[in-house]
Amino acid sequence: MDMQTSFLDRLFEKGLLIDTGVDGLYGRSGQFEDVITAFERLIDRTGGIDGAEAIRFPPGINRAHFEKSGYMKSFPQLAGTVHSFCGCELDHINLLKCMDEGDDWTKEQKATDIVLTPAACYPLYPTIAKRGNLPKDGGLYDIQSYCFRHEPSKDPARQQLFRMREYVRMGTEKDVTDFRQTWMDRGVKMMETVGLDVEIDVANDPFFGRAGKMLANNQRDQNLKFELLIPVTSAANKTACMSFNYHQDAFGTKWGLNLDNGQVAHTACVGFGLERIALALFAKHGLDVQEWPATVRETLWG
Ligand code: AMP
Ligand code: ZN
């Protein structure tokens, strides 16, 4: 049995994660959630002084916004759309017959106006653009959402529905690159205060297909994405628990996000993978929170 499967089994046995029969779709125990809540308080204590505007979206995005985002061009393999039955009574009779016979009943489902949110910041850009030009100092937002990615796996750190907490900065190139550097420094410190070994490295998103390879290389060459890596199921293959993304003016141009002087805004986002951070803590300090080092408990629950 590999390390990932055995860690997943131990999490199930301990009841921290709850098996639903689908890889990457898990229930969470009260204890697991308490670790996430405590870590989010640490995020609040670290980022609170910056005065970000908090906004919470449900885990679905307007399909028109999703289409405009270009996500299907880059990551069609990860997207999840919400489909529903939209038929008449006769269609319903056929649907039930189809289900009774064990045939594929999903073919007649029709796309709704909702797509599952692929990254917590996606609904933010059109929302802020709709307000008009950014204020004088740009914008800073605090976001948290469940996100969906179709990547079933036995690795407990690769889930299909998981939470991302993000800070998003919109402003000049200097504003957003300074913001990203500040959070890279803060991220390393935060993880150290909870006893986790960290490393930051340049990274790329999993762009689809052959053309995607070029996009991924380009992203790396320009240092547009960094990840904070922590050993979870393997010391050799570390897990990305935070991401630091600089979009240059790509989102500003796409969504019409402008500074107060009318120039196109640059944007950057910093994302915490909340389940991954909780799993990193359980992997490092053990599955029994009462047994965690006193300094770690103090930082989280002090
Ligand atoms: P990304 O947009 O891919 O950079 O994701 C932002 C953060 O979400 C990553 O740094 C991870 O911590 C977390 N994340 C991404 N994909 C998954 C997944 N499949 N399961 C759990 N956490 C994830
Ligand atoms: Zn983001």
Side-chain angles (χ1 to χ4, degrees), residues 119 121 125 166 168 245 247 269:
C121 63
Y125 306 103
E166 289 198 43
V168 183
N245 304 299
H247 316 121
C269 68

Side-chain angles (χ1 to χ4, degrees), residues 38 40-49 167 298-302:
E40 281 212 85
R41 278 197 303 264
L42 175 60
I43 299 175
D44 292 336
R45 289 203 297 277
T46 309
I49 47 165
Y167 283 105
E298 176 72 18
T299 304
L300 291 174
W301 289 283

Side-chain angles (χ1 to χ4, degrees), residues 19-272:
D19 191 2
T20 66
V22 176
D23 289 341
L25 180 71
Y26 308 121
R28 295 89 161 76
S29 72
Q31 181 65 87
F32 191 91
E33 288 301 288
D34 192 32
V35 170
I36 289 191
T37 307
F39 194 84
E40 281 212 85
R41 278 197 303 264
L42 175 60
I43 299 175
D44 292 336
R45 289 203 297 277
T46 309
I49 47 165
D50 302 339
E53 177 184 345
I55 305 182
R56 297 290 180 265
F57 293 100
I61 176 172
N62 178 334
R63 175 154 64 100
H65 292 164
F66 173 82
E67 287 164 3
K68 185 168 166 178
S69 77
Y71 196 84
M72 286 309 266
K73 264 195 203 140
S74 297
F75 316 107
Q77 78 281 19
L78 297 177
T81 50
V82 178
H83 282 60
S84 278
F85 171 79
C86 301
C88 62
E89 283 194 41
L90 181 59
D91 296 323
H92 184 216
I93 290 166
N94 288 333
L95 170 78
L96 295 181
K97 188 161 158 274
C98 188
M99 291 181 89
D100 271 351
E101 289 166 2
D103 290 337
D104 181 5
W105 60 273
T106 62
K107 273 193 274 184
E108 297 300 322
Q109 297 279 100
K110 297 277 185 291
T112 66
D113 287 333
I114 298 175
V115 172
L116 295 172
T117 302
C121 63
Y122 268 55
L124 181 71
Y125 306 103
T127 302
I128 301 303
K130 211 166 121 191
R131 291 181 180 173
N133 283 4
L134 290 165
K136 194 170 124 301
D137 298 325
L140 177 66
Y141 310 93
D142 161 349
I143 305 290
Q144 200 251 47
S145 175
Y146 259 100
C147 298
F148 174 85
R149 292 187 186 173
H150 186 233
E151 45 184 357
S153 166
K154 294 278 184 209
D155 177 356
R158 188 168 296 284
Q159 305 193 0
Q160 299 202 61
L161 275 160
F162 58 94
R163 273 159 293 179
M164 232 185 254
R165 174 79 183 267
E166 289 198 43
Y167 283 105
V168 183
R169 182 79 168 104
M170 303 179 184
T172 63
E173 176 172 357
K174 179 168 181 352
D175 291 335
V176 312
T177 51
D178 284 355
F179 157 85
R180 186 172 72 152
Q181 187 58 51
T182 298
W183 274 106
M184 288 188 353
D185 299 340
R186 285 176 174 174
V188 170
K189 281 211 193 85
M190 287 170 73
M191 298 307 174
E192 282 171 353
T193 63
V194 291
L196 297 173
D197 307 317
V198 300
E199 182 187 306
I200 288 201
D201 203 358
V202 69
N204 62 267
D205 289 311
F207 293 99
F208 185 75
R210 216 175 308 157
K213 283 221 172 65
M214 260 165 48
L215 294 172
N217 288 337
N218 192 33
Q219 194 183 24
R220 274 179 176 270
D221 290 346
Q222 296 192 67
N223 285 341
L224 297 181
K225 186 180 188 82
F226 288 94
E227 287 176 339
L228 182 150
L229 306 166
I230 307 179
V232 179
T233 52
S234 147
N237 270 325
K238 295 182 183 156
T239 301
C241 292
M242 280 186 78
S243 305
F244 311 88
N245 304 299
Y246 174 36
H247 316 121
Q248 299 169 305
D249 61 358
F251 286 4
T253 304
K254 181 182 295 289
W255 295 108
L257 287 162
N258 295 321
L259 304 175
D260 70 331
N261 65 10
Q263 279 179 350
V264 178
H266 285 233
T267 62
C269 68
V270 167
F272 293 84

